[in-house]
DNA sequence: TTATAAATGTTATATTATTACATACTGTTA
DNA sequence: TAACAGTATGTAATAATATAACATTTATAA
């Protein structure tokens, strides 16, 4: 529940919920959670989510349409994200691996083109699920 | 319009449309396109899309909710995909780079975990857009 | 042929996301 | 202070994306 300077009221409420969640949250599940706090409409949620993504405080897991808090002590590099996703229990964690991020940030395609941003999602079975 | 053995009628119709398109297509835009061919309902489109993805004939661009034909002479490795996306004109192309795919397929995270599948999306400006 | 899996057709509905417009707050500068 | 710009909020309506449920048909193969 750590107070983040410079987030607006709605942004703070929604960040806290995502940050305290052990799993990625979907927009409408967030909406349901914050209705008691006076946030009533989808758009209020989506606006806060957009801003938080832009700030790098949260990331969107594209394959799941869900959001998790940044786990890299708030990476401003929302431009270079990598996640590990368990296909059984849907647990998601952010991968923080210097070699990987260097490799991808420096990646140049066949045409010599470089990219300023990437998103990588790995899928498999987490330890827990594998041992079942 | 190359005939693909072993695709069903609906799958073939929808594959052809995607394959002939120069840009990623969205499900409802596909639906609109095939209504004259008797495919009237979203579910018919989604079912064909699911199957085509499973077969590796098309891929879903997760960040865009859109589909493109596989550009790697039909990769059966729908399990290891990488794309280049222009943030200006939305042109998408599939990246086929042996070093990259080897690197990612062999990637092991801090916990020693390996993954059986990944999807990578690079964002930037394509040549055309950069020179503008 | 009989059984099984895969594909189709149809209706309704659930889920995810945006448009449009009005208002309020925050910080800066004339 | 007043005027302004930029950001954030509130609200209603609607658009866009995707799935559930159920009935039927077609393909494949034992
Ligand atoms: Zn992060
Ligand atoms: Zn798991
Ligand atoms: Zn491919
Ligand atoms: Zn471009």
């Amino acid at each position: 529940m750590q107070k983040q300077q410079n987030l607006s009221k709605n942004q703070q409420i929604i960040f806290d919920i995502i940050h305290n969640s052990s799993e990625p949250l979907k927009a409408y599940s967030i909406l349901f959670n914050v209705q008691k706090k006076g946030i009533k409409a989808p758009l209020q949620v989506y606006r806060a989510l957009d801003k938080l993504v832009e700030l790098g405080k949260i990331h969107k897991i594209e394959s799941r349409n869900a959001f998790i808090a940044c786990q890299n002590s708030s990476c401003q590099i929302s431009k270079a994200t990598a996640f590990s996703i368990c296909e059984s229990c849907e647990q998601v964690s952010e991968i923080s691996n210097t070699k990987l991020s260097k490799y991808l940030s420096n990646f140049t395609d066949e045409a010599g083109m470089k990219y300023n941003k990437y998103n990588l999602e790995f899928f498999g079975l987490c330890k827990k699920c594998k041992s079942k």
Side-chain angles (χ1 to χ4, degrees), chain A:
Chain A
M1 209 66 85
Q2 50 187 238
K3 173 70 178 173
Q4 304 291 330
Q5 207 54 45
N6 68 34
L7 291 185
S8 76
K9 177 172 139 274
N10 287 1
Q11 289 159 15
Q12 185 66 53
I13 289 170
I14 284 168
F15 175 74
D16 286 341
I17 291 201
I18 296 172
H19 186 252
N20 291 330
S21 169
S22 60
E23 56 184 9
L25 294 179
K26 298 185 151 234
Y28 276 71
S29 125
I30 293 168
L31 175 58
F32 179 80
N33 269 278
V34 296
Q35 280 179 327
K36 48 200 164 210
K37 295 193 177 166
I39 297 179
K40 295 179 208 148
L43 189 48
Q44 293 174 291
V45 172
Y46 281 104
R47 283 196 286 223
L49 290 173
D50 284 352
K51 190 67 187 185
L52 291 167
V53 165
E54 185 192 322
L55 295 173
K57 314 281 302 175
I58 65 173
H59 303 300
K60 182 172 188 181
I61 309 302
E62 292 287 357
S63 65
R64 300 300 187 257
N65 296 322
F67 300 84
I68 66 169
C70 177
Q71 292 168 26
N72 290 339
S73 62
S74 207
C75 64
Q76 297 324 357
I77 38 166
S78 55
K79 291 176 176 293
T81 48
F83 304 96
S84 147
I85 302 172
C86 175
E87 289 186 296
S88 169
C89 71
E90 293 295 322
Q91 185 204 91
V92 174
S93 59
E94 187 167 0
I95 293 174
S96 154
N97 181 299
T98 314
K99 269 178 84 178
L100 176 66
S101 64
K102 268 193 184 155
Y103 184 88
L104 292 176
S105 296
N106 292 325
F107 178 77
T108 310
D109 71 17
E110 322 284 276
M113 176 170 166
K114 281 203 163 196
Y115 300 90
N116 57 41
K117 193 172 149 191
Y118 68 79
N119 179 54
L120 171 58
E121 298 182 0
F122 280 110
F123 304 91
L125 292 178
C126 74
K127 245 177 196 165
K128 234 171 144 182
C129 291
K130 195 173 285 179
S131 66
K132 273 177 192 164

